[in-house]
Amino acid sequence: MTTLIFGHKSPDTDSTGSPLIWEWFLNHTGIDSKAVLLGDPNTEAKFVADRWGFALPEVIADLDDDQSCVIVDTNNPAELPANVGNADILAIIDHHKLAGGLETKGPINITIRPLACTATIMHQMMGAHADHMPEGIKGLMLSCILSDTLAFRSPTTTEMDKDLAEKLAADLGVDIAAYSTEMFAAKSDVSAFSDAELLRMDSKEYEIDGTKFRVSVLETTAPQIVLDRKASLMETMPKVAEEDGVDQVLLFVVDILREEATMLIPNDLTKTVAEKSFDAKVDGDSVVLPGVMSRKKQIIPSLKVA
């Protein structure tokens, strides 16, 4: 049976590139494997795949019973197919906190390391095989690291991530500043997406003290394009929350260049979250949070509802 490799729903660059990287590695080491996606990837991920000569993997809706698979860039059941519990999970490779709730058919290999990017962990796991990576795989790996670290601006960045990215860029003859600007420009082009699509594009579900949130983050070098749609985005939040079975959508628009986030405040619950979580003073329908750039390290760990 072909082993499927996939990341989380609402795929970003790491959850699109890392399955392709691990597909190459497993096939290189004699294990028949195939990268797949759990949704349509964002515009940056599409740009990266095209830039390095890859067709986007097939999008799957669910898993068959006993399907062998490797999960990357998440371990949260809320971000995985509904039937994942009946699949044959072989391994998890991730850089997020342990969420709990997954049950496997037997012992598996789990690698979770405190690095900024799943692709960095994969490079470490490959050992000497990494020397055989073709140019396209190196390009994907570089792109995943630059995306997840926001070109080293994110507080999640480690020296291991940065050193690897610089080595890969040197091997490829890529200027990191120029290439990351291209990537972020692609990510910032959200004109074709509806408000509901924007709210789900880069989002994760989390429950805090019994309140369920869809925590959406839009990283951009052109935040005003998103903020100009503030009124309609806030009108759409209740519908998305109802359809997705959560109590509230939280939207953070991250300005990559100014290194700050703007959180939309449509109601009293979001106002409370902003004030209790980030010690912010909220006077209107949005609030700027200086220095906040990472959902994983700064937003999720800080969330409070009381």
Side-chain angles (χ1 to χ4, degrees):
M1 179 185 292
T2 300
T3 295
L4 300 183
I5 310 159
F6 50 83
H8 52 74
K9 298 175 183 177
S10 304
D12 56 9
T13 297
D14 197 19
S15 255
T16 303
S18 286
L20 287 165
I21 293 167
W22 209 241
E23 174 192 84
W24 170 81
F25 173 69
L26 291 185
N27 285 321
H28 174 73
T29 55
I31 300 171
D32 183 33
S33 66
K34 176 185 175 184
V36 294
L37 298 175
L38 302 185
D40 192 37
N42 67 19
T43 49
E44 182 188 75
K46 291 177 179 178
F47 165 81
V48 164
D50 182 67
R51 168 65 177 79
W52 296 104
F54 290 89
L56 289 172
E58 173 190 0
V59 176
I60 63 169
D62 209 343
L63 295 168
D64 293 334
D65 289 351
D66 300 317
Q67 170 65 58
S68 63
C69 61
V70 174
I71 298 169
V72 304
D73 198 30
T74 186
N75 67 85
N76 187 347
E79 300 174 347
L80 294 169
N83 199 42
V84 69
N86 293 317
D88 184 14
I89 303 171
L90 304 179
I92 296 172
I93 307 169
D94 192 17
H95 64 127
H96 296 91
K97 70 175 184 177
L98 192 61
L102 277 179
E103 183 173 344
T104 61
K105 294 180 177 296
I108 69 170
N109 291 308
I110 299 178
T111 306
I112 301 177
R113 295 177 183 170
L115 299 175
C117 183
T118 307
T120 308
I121 300 171
M122 289 179 167
H123 185 271
Q124 293 177 342
M125 294 174 68
M126 287 179 187
H129 292 289
D131 295 337
H132 301 282
M133 290 191 301
E135 181 176 283
I137 296 298
K138 290 181 180 180
L140 289 179
M141 191 171 283
L142 171 64
S143 304
C144 290
I145 298 169
L146 294 178
S147 178
D148 268 11
T149 66
L150 298 178
F152 315 138
R153 295 176 177 88
S154 172
T156 62
T157 308
T158 71
E159 285 303 313
M160 292 181 184
D161 297 293
K162 187 176 181 181
D163 289 348
L164 176 57
E166 290 175 344
K167 180 181 182 303
L168 291 167
D171 289 347
L172 293 165
V174 169
D175 179 274
I176 285 178
Y179 179 54
S180 59
T181 296
E182 289 185 76
M183 287 176 53
F184 299 152
K187 180 185 292 189
S188 300
D189 182 9
V190 296
S191 57
F193 296 96
S194 69
D195 292 333
E197 287 171 328
L198 281 182
L199 293 172
R200 293 186 174 106
M201 181 178 293
D202 185 359
S203 65
K204 297 178 184 289
E205 294 180 21
Y206 285 93
E207 183 173 333
I208 310 294
D209 296 332
T211 302
K212 295 180 179 179
F213 294 104
R214 176 170 292 285
V215 184
S216 302
V217 173
L218 293 176
E219 299 163 341
T220 176
T221 54
Q224 199 57 45
I225 293 175
V226 179
L227 295 176
D228 283 345
R229 297 168 61 173
K230 179 169 57 177
S232 60
L233 283 166
M234 291 193 295
E235 289 177 6
T236 307
M237 284 179 174
K239 181 180 179 182
V240 169
E242 181 180 0
E243 290 176 352
D244 294 357
V246 300
D247 298 300
Q248 179 65 52
V249 176
L250 304 178
L251 176 61
F252 298 83
V253 182
V254 173
D255 186 330
I256 297 172
L257 300 180
R258 293 179 65 89
E259 300 188 16
E260 64 185 22
T262 299
M263 178 182 175
L264 300 197
I265 310 293
N267 53 38
D268 288 342
L269 174 57
T270 52
K271 179 179 179 180
T272 298
V273 170
E275 293 181 337
K276 298 292 186 181
S277 305
F278 305 104
D279 195 26
K281 181 175 175 55
V282 179
D283 293 320
D285 58 9
S286 65
V287 62
V288 175
L289 306 173
V292 173
M293 300 185 71
S294 170
R295 174 173 45 209
K296 179 176 66 175
K297 193 166 185 176
Q298 295 173 303
I299 296 175
I300 294 298
S302 301
L303 289 182
K304 299 181 180 69
V305 294

